[in-house]
Amino acid sequence: MAYKIYLSPAAHGHDNPCSYSGSCGENVHCNLYMDELEPYLQAAGFDIKRNPADRTGGRLHEAIEESNAWGADLHYVAHTNAGGGSHSKLMVYSKGSRAYGYAETLAAQRRAYFAAEGKPWAVKLTVEPQWAELCQTAAPAIYDELVFHDHAEQIGWFHAHLRGMAEATAKGICAMFGVGFADPYKTEGEVEIMGKMVDAAALKAWIDANAVEVSNGSGESSGSPGGEVGSGGSEAPALRVGAVVQYSGRLYATSAGGGAGATVSGKYTVSRILSGKSHGVLLDGGLGWVRPEDCVVVA
């Protein structure tokens, strides 16, 4: 029998403004984050139920009742904070509880992710029994204040790393229940290079197309069968991992085109390509996702 995870994104009656974009708010980006979290949890075999995005305002009791009636094994709440800070905060009902242990596991994954991204932000764990979703839920509950939506640098980073944050959370939830983590975006044709999943065929094509001759020490040279550098071919270079592209337009937080962000124009390096996704090209290792047809390969 699969474990049941109830997901409860922020659902304020008056959405809190987000410093990243005037068109965004706490409800909006927390739902975008949950959009990224769900595939990871489903890939690991969890059953998911989620408070719908339009159940806002004074209807929080409906989410609590739904979670309790369903028999959730974890009630996970996702909000963002305000007040000038720059930390993550995980809140639970009581110390020494199962939820407290779960939150410690999640905090460890969050700290590791921040460290891997070179971010100095702390992850705090507090006991705050006053919140309804902590004191009225039957399941162990974690109330996650992910980042600060009034901290411009942090919320901008968060919008560009929704999937990474979701992946770290999913790893934490898997560890809580002793379930193996599964990456729903990894295919048989991908390999991991420096912590990133890269299409193996695209990687080989790039190596072949960009190979240089290297002396073997005997005066002879060796190289890839892809041809010599500067062969003068007139064929336009293909879109591939490692390509430099000219792009002008919106950046998106997800490969499905969710979470419209800043508008940019310039030359960027392709760090990931996901086939079958409408916005399946990731620029500059996390700058944002864009449509492949909008990229002009220049190198």
Side-chain angles (χ1 to χ4, degrees):
M1 181 177 177
Y3 291 107
K4 299 177 178 179
I5 312 296
Y6 191 91
L7 302 178
S8 181
H12 299 290
H14 176 70
D15 201 2
N16 294 315
C18 168
S19 298
Y20 176 72
S21 168
S23 63
C24 190
E26 181 179 356
N27 293 359
V28 175
H29 57 230
C30 286
N31 274 283
L32 292 173
Y33 163 75
M34 290 298 200
D35 289 345
E36 294 290 352
L37 180 58
E38 279 197 55
Y40 284 104
L41 297 179
Q42 290 168 340
F46 291 102
D47 283 342
I48 305 300
K49 192 177 287 290
R50 176 169 162 181
N51 192 29
D54 61 355
R55 187 189 278 168
T56 58
R59 302 177 63 188
L60 182 60
H61 66 94
E62 296 179 36
I64 295 171
E65 292 166 0
E66 186 173 63
S67 175
N68 291 346
W70 186 46
D73 295 296
L74 175 70
H75 187 95
Y76 176 66
V77 184
H79 283 236
T80 54
N81 215 334
S86 60
H87 56 270
S88 276
K89 183 167 73 168
L90 304 172
M91 298 178 284
V92 297
Y93 178 74
S94 64
K95 192 170 185 177
S97 64
R98 181 178 297 177
Y100 193 94
Y102 285 170
E104 287 183 312
T105 300
L106 178 53
Q109 288 291 340
R110 179 82 44 83
R111 291 186 186 108
Y113 182 59
F114 282 168
E117 291 291 325
K119 299 302 177 184
W121 305 319
V123 181
K124 301 180 180 181
L125 177 53
T126 65
V127 173
E128 301 194 33
Q130 70 271 26
W131 303 114
E133 287 186 277
L134 296 181
C135 65
Q136 296 177 20
T137 49
I142 297 175
Y143 193 130
D144 189 354
E145 294 277 13
L146 293 151
V147 294
F148 278 73
H149 54 251
D150 60 356
H151 187 290
E153 177 191 356
Q154 191 177 53
I155 195 63
W157 178 91
F158 175 69
H159 271 261
H161 293 79
L162 286 168
R163 181 165 295 176
M165 286 285 284
E167 180 179 347
T169 296
K171 287 178 178 177
I173 293 174
C174 286
M176 294 173 199
F177 293 95
V179 172
F181 173 77
D183 187 344
Y185 302 103
K186 180 179 179 180
T187 68
E188 292 183 1
E190 288 186 323
V191 295
E192 186 169 346
I193 304 293
M194 297 180 67
K196 296 183 182 297
M197 301 312 302
V198 178
D199 182 80
L203 178 62
K204 182 180 184 302
W206 184 88
I207 292 172
D208 289 344
N210 293 275
V212 296
E213 293 190 340
V214 180
S215 171
N216 62 14
S218 64
E220 301 176 355
S221 62
S222 60
S224 169
E228 296 181 2
V229 176
S231 58
S234 59
E235 185 177 346
L239 183 64
R240 64 197 185 280
V241 173
V244 176
V245 299
Q246 177 71 42
Y247 175 77
S248 297
R250 278 288 187 99
L251 297 170
Y252 293 85
T254 74
S255 60
T263 298
V264 299
S265 181
K267 294 180 180 179
Y268 308 96
T269 301
V270 175
S271 56
R272 191 173 181 185
I273 298 175
L274 293 179
S275 60
K277 297 291 185 179
S278 62
H279 293 64
V281 176
L282 181 64
L283 302 179
D284 281 4
L287 179 67
W289 294 88
V290 299
R291 300 192 311 170
E293 57 265 35
D294 294 334
C295 297
V296 178
V297 181
V298 296

